[in-house]
């Protein structure tokens, strides 16, 4: 049993910064990738950023240049640094890790709310 626990969400001003953390309760076997998704009412959950086990990264066009994903394997933790935040970044952010023997295991956190508002 693996639990992912997100932290770092909250209320920030437009143009501000926030750093999200996602800590796994234990090491996950054979990780394929880790990432952050976000979702708002009326919209599909979308991939924000992802990082592979080899360190390659991918970003949604809407956040490229503003957000940075990173991880610390020794601490079983993945981070999302969010800069120059905009109101449209407001969403519940979810941590996700894919792994397992055949990359068939899919782990999700419960989500953390990020609100960007004056």
């Amino acid at each position: 049993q693996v639990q992912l626990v997100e932290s770092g969400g909250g209320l920030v001003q437009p143009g501000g910064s926030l750093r999200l953390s996602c800590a796994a309760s234990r090491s996950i076997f054979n990780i394929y990738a880790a990432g952050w998704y976000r979702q708002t009412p009326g919209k599909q959950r979308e991939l924000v950023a992802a990082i592979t086990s080899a360190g390659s990264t991918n970003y949604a066009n809407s956040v490229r240049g503003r957000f940075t994903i990173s991880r610390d394997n020794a601490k079983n933790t993945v981070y999302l640094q969010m800069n120059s935040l905009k109101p449209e970044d407001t969403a519940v952010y979810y941590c996700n890790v894919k792994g397992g023997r055949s990359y068939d295991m899919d782990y999700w956190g419960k989500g953390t709310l990020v609100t960007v508002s004056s």
Side-chain angles (χ1 to χ4, degrees):
Q1 185 177 4
V2 176
Q3 290 182 308
L4 302 182
V5 180
E6 299 107 332
S7 62
L11 175 64
V12 296
Q13 301 272 124
S17 297
L18 208 59
R19 191 192 197 198
L20 305 183
S21 298
C22 172
S25 60
R26 64 170 176 83
S27 179
I28 298 173
F29 176 72
N30 200 30
I31 292 174
Y32 173 70
W36 291 91
Y37 291 73
R38 67 185 182 188
Q39 188 169 29
T40 56
K43 294 186 65 178
Q44 298 182 68
R45 185 175 297 185
E46 65 173 343
L47 177 66
V48 176
I51 184 167
T52 71
S53 60
S56 298
T57 58
N58 289 297
Y59 297 93
N61 289 335
S62 59
V63 307
R64 186 174 289 108
R66 299 188 297 120
F67 291 10
T68 303
I69 188 170
S70 62
R71 81 323 201 196
D72 187 334
N73 291 339
K75 296 182 178 180
N76 298 325
T77 302
V78 62
Y79 306 95
L80 184 67
Q81 178 66 46
M82 304 184 293
N83 298 325
S84 301
L85 284 162
K86 305 174 180 179
E88 49 263 45
D89 294 318
T90 296
V92 177
Y93 285 71
Y94 298 90
C95 179
N96 171 255
V97 178
K98 293 180 172 62
R101 188 185 312 188
S102 301
Y103 305 132
D104 56 346
M105 303 301 293
D106 204 19
Y107 306 94
W108 290 92
K110 295 180 179 179
T112 183
L113 177 62
V114 172
T115 303
V116 185
S117 176
S118 298

mmCIF file of all heavy atoms in Angstrom, residues 44-83:
data_model
loop_
_atom_site.group_PDB
_atom_site.id
_atom_site.type_symbol
_atom_site.label_atom_id
_atom_site.label_comp_id
_atom_site.label_asym_id
_atom_site.label_seq_id
_atom_site.Cartn_x
_atom_site.Cartn_y
_atom_site.Cartn_z
ATOM 1 N N GLN A 44 -11.883 18.887 -17.828
ATOM 2 C CA GLN A 44 -11.236 17.597 -17.641
ATOM 3 C C GLN A 44 -9.948 17.780 -16.850
ATOM 4 O O GLN A 44 -9.325 18.840 -16.892
ATOM 5 C CB GLN A 44 -10.906 16.954 -18.991
ATOM 6 C CG GLN A 44 -12.097 16.639 -19.866
ATOM 7 C CD GLN A 44 -11.670 15.968 -21.157
ATOM 8 O OE1 GLN A 44 -11.196 14.829 -21.142
ATOM 9 N NE2 GLN A 44 -11.828 16.670 -22.263
ATOM 10 N N ARG A 45 -9.571 16.743 -16.147
ATOM 11 C CA ARG A 45 -8.287 16.769 -15.485
ATOM 12 C C ARG A 45 -7.188 16.801 -16.542
ATOM 13 O O ARG A 45 -7.202 16.013 -17.488
ATOM 14 C CB ARG A 45 -8.131 15.542 -14.586
ATOM 15 C CG ARG A 45 -6.862 15.545 -13.756
ATOM 16 C CD ARG A 45 -6.819 14.365 -12.790
ATOM 17 N NE ARG A 45 -7.900 14.418 -11.816
ATOM 18 C CZ ARG A 45 -8.023 13.560 -10.812
ATOM 19 N NH1 ARG A 45 -7.126 12.586 -10.641
ATOM 20 N NH2 ARG A 45 -9.042 13.669 -9.974
ATOM 21 N N GLU A 46 -6.261 17.715 -16.383
ATOM 22 C CA GLU A 46 -5.215 17.886 -17.375
ATOM 23 C C GLU A 46 -3.836 17.698 -16.771
ATOM 24 O O GLU A 46 -3.592 18.031 -15.610
ATOM 25 C CB GLU A 46 -5.307 19.273 -18.035
ATOM 26 C CG GLU A 46 -5.057 20.436 -17.085
ATOM 27 C CD GLU A 46 -4.996 21.781 -17.786
ATOM 28 O OE1 GLU A 46 -4.826 21.813 -19.019
ATOM 29 O OE2 GLU A 46 -5.129 22.809 -17.095
ATOM 30 N N LEU A 47 -2.952 17.182 -17.576
ATOM 31 C CA LEU A 47 -1.566 17.032 -17.165
ATOM 32 C C LEU A 47 -0.886 18.390 -17.186
ATOM 33 O O LEU A 47 -0.921 19.099 -18.190
ATOM 34 C CB LEU A 47 -0.833 16.064 -18.095
ATOM 35 C CG LEU A 47 0.661 15.863 -17.823
ATOM 36 C CD1 LEU A 47 0.878 15.184 -16.473
ATOM 37 C CD2 LEU A 47 1.304 15.036 -18.932
ATOM 38 N N VAL A 48 -0.262 18.736 -16.080
ATOM 39 C CA VAL A 48 0.456 19.997 -15.959
ATOM 40 C C VAL A 48 1.937 19.803 -16.244
ATOM 41 O O VAL A 48 2.545 20.553 -17.009
ATOM 42 C CB VAL A 48 0.264 20.613 -14.562
ATOM 43 C CG1 VAL A 48 1.083 21.885 -14.407
ATOM 44 C CG2 VAL A 48 -1.217 20.886 -14.309
ATOM 45 N N ALA A 49 2.525 18.809 -15.603
ATOM 46 C CA ALA A 49 3.949 18.543 -15.756
ATOM 47 C C ALA A 49 4.232 17.106 -15.400
ATOM 48 O O ALA A 49 3.548 16.520 -14.560
ATOM 49 C CB ALA A 49 4.782 19.478 -14.871
ATOM 50 N N ALA A 50 5.242 16.531 -16.027
ATOM 51 C CA ALA A 50 5.629 15.154 -15.747
ATOM 52 C C ALA A 50 7.137 15.011 -15.828
ATOM 53 O O ALA A 50 7.805 15.757 -16.554
ATOM 54 C CB ALA A 50 4.956 14.191 -16.726
ATOM 55 N N ILE A 51 7.648 14.053 -15.092
ATOM 56 C CA ILE A 51 9.069 13.749 -15.128
ATOM 57 C C ILE A 51 9.235 12.242 -15.149
ATOM 58 O O ILE A 51 8.606 11.520 -14.383
ATOM 59 C CB ILE A 51 9.815 14.402 -13.940
ATOM 60 C CG1 ILE A 51 11.323 14.157 -14.045
ATOM 61 C CG2 ILE A 51 9.257 13.923 -12.607
ATOM 62 C CD1 ILE A 51 12.133 15.032 -13.093
ATOM 63 N N THR A 52 10.072 11.742 -16.048
ATOM 64 C CA THR A 52 10.298 10.310 -16.162
ATOM 65 C C THR A 52 11.378 9.866 -15.197
ATOM 66 O O THR A 52 12.080 10.679 -14.585
ATOM 67 C CB THR A 52 10.701 9.920 -17.585
ATOM 68 O OG1 THR A 52 12.030 10.405 -17.850
ATOM 69 C CG2 THR A 52 9.739 10.486 -18.613
ATOM 70 N N SER A 53 11.531 8.556 -15.080
ATOM 71 C CA SER A 53 12.562 8.016 -14.208
ATOM 72 C C SER A 53 13.959 8.422 -14.657
ATOM 73 O O SER A 53 14.884 8.461 -13.842
ATOM 74 C CB SER A 53 12.464 6.488 -14.150
ATOM 75 O OG SER A 53 12.621 5.915 -15.434
ATOM 76 N N ALA A 54 14.105 8.726 -15.937
ATOM 77 C CA ALA A 54 15.389 9.162 -16.480
ATOM 78 C C ALA A 54 15.618 10.661 -16.335
ATOM 79 O O ALA A 54 16.700 11.150 -16.641
ATOM 80 C CB ALA A 54 15.506 8.766 -17.948
ATOM 81 N N GLY A 55 14.591 11.382 -15.895
ATOM 82 C CA GLY A 55 14.737 12.801 -15.668
ATOM 83 C C GLY A 55 14.198 13.703 -16.760
ATOM 84 O O GLY A 55 14.281 14.930 -16.635
ATOM 85 N N SER A 56 13.652 13.140 -17.825
ATOM 86 C CA SER A 56 13.052 13.954 -18.876
ATOM 87 C C SER A 56 11.759 14.581 -18.376
ATOM 88 O O SER A 56 11.017 13.966 -17.621
ATOM 89 C CB SER A 56 12.764 13.116 -20.121
ATOM 90 O OG SER A 56 13.956 12.585 -20.658
ATOM 91 N N THR A 57 11.485 15.802 -18.813
ATOM 92 C CA THR A 57 10.301 16.517 -18.355
ATOM 93 C C THR A 57 9.414 16.931 -19.512
ATOM 94 O O THR A 57 9.873 17.117 -20.642
ATOM 95 C CB THR A 57 10.681 17.768 -17.551
ATOM 96 O OG1 THR A 57 11.502 18.621 -18.353
ATOM 97 C CG2 THR A 57 11.449 17.380 -16.292
ATOM 98 N N ASN A 58 8.123 17.060 -19.211
ATOM 99 C CA ASN A 58 7.136 17.561 -20.155
ATOM 100 C C ASN A 58 6.224 18.532 -19.420
ATOM 101 O O ASN A 58 5.909 18.331 -18.245
ATOM 102 C CB ASN A 58 6.304 16.431 -20.750
ATOM 103 C CG ASN A 58 7.088 15.560 -21.708
ATOM 104 O OD1 ASN A 58 7.552 16.033 -22.742
ATOM 105 N ND2 ASN A 58 7.234 14.292 -21.371
ATOM 106 N N TYR A 59 5.784 19.568 -20.129
ATOM 107 C CA TYR A 59 4.924 20.581 -19.538
ATOM 108 C C TYR A 59 3.768 20.913 -20.462
ATOM 109 O O TYR A 59 3.901 20.887 -21.689
ATOM 110 C CB TYR A 59 5.700 21.872 -19.262
ATOM 111 C CG TYR A 59 6.809 21.723 -18.263
ATOM 112 C CD1 TYR A 59 8.108 21.453 -18.670
ATOM 113 C CD2 TYR A 59 6.554 21.856 -16.900
ATOM 114 C CE1 TYR A 59 9.132 21.317 -17.750
ATOM 115 C CE2 TYR A 59 7.571 21.722 -15.971
ATOM 116 C CZ TYR A 59 8.860 21.452 -16.403
ATOM 117 O OH TYR A 59 9.869 21.319 -15.473
ATOM 118 N N ALA A 60 2.636 21.232 -19.850
ATOM 119 C CA ALA A 60 1.542 21.787 -20.624
ATOM 120 C C ALA A 60 1.965 23.139 -21.177
ATOM 121 O O ALA A 60 2.717 23.882 -20.536
ATOM 122 C CB ALA A 60 0.299 21.937 -19.756
ATOM 123 N N ASN A 61 1.482 23.463 -22.368
ATOM 124 C CA ASN A 61 1.850 24.732 -22.983
ATOM 125 C C ASN A 61 1.489 25.930 -22.097
ATOM 126 O O ASN A 61 2.200 26.940 -22.091
ATOM 127 C CB ASN A 61 1.177 24.880 -24.342
ATOM 128 C CG ASN A 61 1.760 23.948 -25.384
ATOM 129 O OD1 ASN A 61 2.915 23.526 -25.285
ATOM 130 N ND2 ASN A 61 0.964 23.627 -26.390
ATOM 131 N N SER A 62 0.418 25.806 -21.353
ATOM 132 C CA SER A 62 -0.054 26.908 -20.536
ATOM 133 C C SER A 62 0.855 27.233 -19.358
ATOM 134 O O SER A 62 0.761 28.322 -18.793
ATOM 135 C CB SER A 62 -1.469 26.617 -20.024
ATOM 136 O OG SER A 62 -1.493 25.433 -19.256
ATOM 137 N N VAL A 63 1.730 26.300 -18.984
ATOM 138 C CA VAL A 63 2.584 26.525 -17.822
ATOM 139 C C VAL A 63 4.068 26.520 -18.154
ATOM 140 O O VAL A 63 4.887 26.853 -17.289
ATOM 141 C CB VAL A 63 2.316 25.494 -16.704
ATOM 142 C CG1 VAL A 63 0.833 25.441 -16.360
ATOM 143 C CG2 VAL A 63 2.827 24.109 -17.100
ATOM 144 N N ARG A 64 4.397 26.154 -19.370
ATOM 145 C CA ARG A 64 5.804 26.086 -19.764
ATOM 146 C C ARG A 64 6.488 27.442 -19.578
ATOM 147 O O ARG A 64 5.967 28.470 -19.991
ATOM 148 C CB ARG A 64 5.933 25.618 -21.211
ATOM 149 C CG ARG A 64 7.384 25.374 -21.651
ATOM 150 C CD ARG A 64 7.461 24.763 -23.052
ATOM 151 N NE ARG A 64 7.000 23.379 -23.072
ATOM 152 C CZ ARG A 64 5.860 22.979 -23.609
ATOM 153 N NH1 ARG A 64 5.053 23.858 -24.195
ATOM 154 N NH2 ARG A 64 5.520 21.704 -23.577
ATOM 155 N N GLY A 65 7.633 27.414 -18.935
ATOM 156 C CA GLY A 65 8.357 28.637 -18.648
ATOM 157 C C GLY A 65 8.033 29.233 -17.307
ATOM 158 O O GLY A 65 8.772 30.103 -16.816
ATOM 159 N N ARG A 66 6.933 28.791 -16.691
ATOM 160 C CA ARG A 66 6.536 29.295 -15.383
ATOM 161 C C ARG A 66 6.634 28.242 -14.290
ATOM 162 O O ARG A 66 6.941 28.557 -13.148
ATOM 163 C CB ARG A 66 5.103 29.829 -15.421
ATOM 164 C CG ARG A 66 4.902 30.997 -16.384
ATOM 165 C CD ARG A 66 3.508 31.604 -16.239
ATOM 166 N NE ARG A 66 2.463 30.654 -16.595
ATOM 167 C CZ ARG A 66 1.512 30.242 -15.762
ATOM 168 N NH1 ARG A 66 1.470 30.694 -14.510
ATOM 169 N NH2 ARG A 66 0.591 29.380 -16.177
ATOM 170 N N PHE A 67 6.363 26.989 -14.648
ATOM 171 C CA PHE A 67 6.382 25.890 -13.682
ATOM 172 C C PHE A 67 7.597 25.001 -13.919
ATOM 173 O O PHE A 67 8.045 24.837 -15.061
ATOM 174 C CB PHE A 67 5.126 25.021 -13.810
ATOM 175 C CG PHE A 67 3.846 25.678 -13.372
ATOM 176 C CD1 PHE A 67 3.771 27.027 -13.088
ATOM 177 C CD2 PHE A 67 2.695 24.909 -13.249
ATOM 178 C CE1 PHE A 67 2.583 27.627 -12.694
ATOM 179 C CE2 PHE A 67 1.501 25.482 -12.856
ATOM 180 C CZ PHE A 67 1.438 26.840 -12.579
ATOM 181 N N THR A 68 8.099 24.402 -12.854
ATOM 182 C CA THR A 68 9.209 23.472 -12.946
ATOM 183 C C THR A 68 8.939 22.256 -12.071
ATOM 184 O O THR A 68 8.656 22.399 -10.881
ATOM 185 C CB THR A 68 10.532 24.123 -12.504
ATOM 186 O OG1 THR A 68 10.790 25.285 -13.293
ATOM 187 C CG2 THR A 68 11.689 23.138 -12.679
ATOM 188 N N ILE A 69 9.027 21.074 -12.669
ATOM 189 C CA ILE A 69 8.868 19.851 -11.911
ATOM 190 C C ILE A 69 10.247 19.270 -11.597
ATOM 191 O O ILE A 69 11.170 19.342 -12.416
ATOM 192 C CB ILE A 69 7.999 18.818 -12.663
ATOM 193 C CG1 ILE A 69 7.675 17.614 -11.772
ATOM 194 C CG2 ILE A 69 8.664 18.373 -13.962
ATOM 195 C CD1 ILE A 69 6.632 16.678 -12.362
ATOM 196 N N SER A 70 10.383 18.720 -10.414
ATOM 197 C CA SER A 70 11.635 18.095 -10.014
ATOM 198 C C SER A 70 11.331 16.992 -9.014
ATOM 199 O O SER A 70 10.198 16.874 -8.541
ATOM 200 C CB SER A 70 12.599 19.118 -9.410
ATOM 201 O OG SER A 70 12.060 19.707 -8.242
ATOM 202 N N ARG A 71 12.335 16.189 -8.725
ATOM 203 C CA ARG A 71 12.117 15.133 -7.735
ATOM 204 C C ARG A 71 13.393 14.829 -6.983
ATOM 205 O O ARG A 71 14.498 15.112 -7.437
ATOM 206 C CB ARG A 71 11.509 13.892 -8.371
ATOM 207 C CG ARG A 71 12.325 12.831 -9.130
ATOM 208 C CD ARG A 71 13.419 13.185 -9.933
ATOM 209 N NE ARG A 71 13.699 12.119 -10.904
ATOM 210 C CZ ARG A 71 14.818 12.012 -11.577
ATOM 211 N NH1 ARG A 71 15.784 12.915 -11.417
ATOM 212 N NH2 ARG A 71 14.984 11.025 -12.438
ATOM 213 N N ASP A 72 13.212 14.259 -5.811
ATOM 214 C CA ASP A 72 14.300 13.798 -4.976
ATOM 215 C C ASP A 72 14.017 12.330 -4.685
ATOM 216 O O ASP A 72 13.208 12.010 -3.814
ATOM 217 C CB ASP A 72 14.384 14.613 -3.693
ATOM 218 C CG ASP A 72 15.609 14.280 -2.864
ATOM 219 O OD1 ASP A 72 16.128 13.152 -2.969
ATOM 220 O OD2 ASP A 72 16.054 15.149 -2.095
ATOM 221 N N ASN A 73 14.666 11.454 -5.423
ATOM 222 C CA ASN A 73 14.394 10.030 -5.290
ATOM 223 C C ASN A 73 14.710 9.503 -3.892
ATOM 224 O O ASN A 73 14.018 8.618 -3.386
ATOM 225 C CB ASN A 73 15.188 9.237 -6.324
ATOM 226 C CG ASN A 73 14.701 9.456 -7.740
ATOM 227 O OD1 ASN A 73 13.565 9.869 -7.955
ATOM 228 N ND2 ASN A 73 15.559 9.170 -8.709
ATOM 229 N N ALA A 74 15.750 10.034 -3.280
ATOM 230 C CA ALA A 74 16.131 9.591 -1.948
ATOM 231 C C ALA A 74 15.051 9.890 -0.920
ATOM 232 O O ALA A 74 14.928 9.190 0.085
ATOM 233 C CB ALA A 74 17.449 10.227 -1.531
ATOM 234 N N LYS A 75 14.274 10.943 -1.165
ATOM 235 C CA LYS A 75 13.205 11.328 -0.249
ATOM 236 C C LYS A 75 11.826 10.895 -0.726
ATOM 237 O O LYS A 75 10.826 11.232 -0.091
ATOM 238 C CB LYS A 75 13.218 12.839 -0.041
ATOM 239 C CG LYS A 75 14.473 13.356 0.644
ATOM 240 C CD LYS A 75 14.406 14.858 0.861
ATOM 241 C CE LYS A 75 15.644 15.355 1.582
ATOM 242 N NZ LYS A 75 15.603 16.824 1.805
ATOM 243 N N ASN A 76 11.771 10.172 -1.841
ATOM 244 C CA ASN A 76 10.490 9.724 -2.411
ATOM 245 C C ASN A 76 9.532 10.894 -2.595
ATOM 246 O O ASN A 76 8.339 10.790 -2.297
ATOM 247 C CB ASN A 76 9.846 8.646 -1.526
ATOM 248 C CG ASN A 76 10.682 7.399 -1.410
ATOM 249 O OD1 ASN A 76 11.353 6.993 -2.360
ATOM 250 N ND2 ASN A 76 10.650 6.774 -0.235
ATOM 251 N N THR A 77 10.053 11.987 -3.104
ATOM 252 C CA THR A 77 9.282 13.221 -3.189
ATOM 253 C C THR A 77 9.422 13.862 -4.562
ATOM 254 O O THR A 77 10.515 13.892 -5.133
ATOM 255 C CB THR A 77 9.728 14.218 -2.110
ATOM 256 O OG1 THR A 77 9.584 13.615 -0.817
ATOM 257 C CG2 THR A 77 8.888 15.479 -2.153
ATOM 258 N N VAL A 78 8.310 14.381 -5.073
ATOM 259 C CA VAL A 78 8.303 15.145 -6.310
ATOM 260 C C VAL A 78 7.768 16.537 -6.000
ATOM 261 O O VAL A 78 6.891 16.699 -5.145
ATOM 262 C CB VAL A 78 7.476 14.441 -7.406
ATOM 263 C CG1 VAL A 78 6.026 14.297 -6.995
ATOM 264 C CG2 VAL A 78 7.595 15.175 -8.732
ATOM 265 N N TYR A 79 8.291 17.536 -6.688
ATOM 266 C CA TYR A 79 7.945 18.924 -6.424
ATOM 267 C C TYR A 79 7.404 19.598 -7.681
ATOM 268 O O TYR A 79 7.699 19.200 -8.807
ATOM 269 C CB TYR A 79 9.168 19.707 -5.959
ATOM 270 C CG TYR A 79 9.884 19.103 -4.773
ATOM 271 C CD1 TYR A 79 10.972 18.257 -4.955
ATOM 272 C CD2 TYR A 79 9.475 19.384 -3.473
ATOM 273 C CE1 TYR A 79 11.636 17.705 -3.875
ATOM 274 C CE2 TYR A 79 10.132 18.832 -2.388
ATOM 275 C CZ TYR A 79 11.214 17.995 -2.592
ATOM 276 O OH TYR A 79 11.865 17.446 -1.515
ATOM 277 N N LEU A 80 6.628 20.631 -7.471
ATOM 278 C CA LEU A 80 6.198 21.497 -8.556
ATOM 279 C C LEU A 80 6.381 22.937 -8.101
ATOM 280 O O LEU A 80 5.643 23.417 -7.240
ATOM 281 C CB LEU A 80 4.743 21.248 -8.940
ATOM 282 C CG LEU A 80 4.241 22.049 -10.143
ATOM 283 C CD1 LEU A 80 4.957 21.596 -11.421
ATOM 284 C CD2 LEU A 80 2.727 21.908 -10.309
ATOM 285 N N GLN A 81 7.372 23.607 -8.664
ATOM 286 C CA GLN A 81 7.596 25.013 -8.393
ATOM 287 C C GLN A 81 6.759 25.825 -9.369
ATOM 288 O O GLN A 81 6.914 25.686 -10.580
ATOM 289 C CB GLN A 81 9.074 25.365 -8.538
ATOM 290 C CG GLN A 81 9.401 26.831 -8.317
ATOM 291 C CD GLN A 81 9.152 27.278 -6.898
ATOM 292 O OE1 GLN A 81 9.547 26.585 -5.961
ATOM 293 N NE2 GLN A 81 8.502 28.413 -6.728
ATOM 294 N N MET A 82 5.888 26.673 -8.857
ATOM 295 C CA MET A 82 4.980 27.461 -9.677
ATOM 296 C C MET A 82 5.292 28.936 -9.484
ATOM 297 O O MET A 82 5.167 29.457 -8.374
ATOM 298 C CB MET A 82 3.524 27.167 -9.309
ATOM 299 C CG MET A 82 3.157 25.694 -9.407
ATOM 300 S SD MET A 82 1.393 25.383 -9.077
ATOM 301 C CE MET A 82 1.323 25.826 -7.343
ATOM 302 N N ASN A 83 5.690 29.590 -10.558
ATOM 303 C CA ASN A 83 6.010 31.005 -10.535
ATOM 304 C C ASN A 83 5.073 31.774 -11.453
ATOM 305 O O ASN A 83 4.422 31.203 -12.320
ATOM 306 C CB ASN A 83 7.460 31.235 -10.974
ATOM 307 C CG ASN A 83 8.474 30.573 -10.070
ATOM 308 O OD1 ASN A 83 8.283 30.486 -8.864
ATOM 309 N ND2 ASN A 83 9.577 30.114 -10.655
#
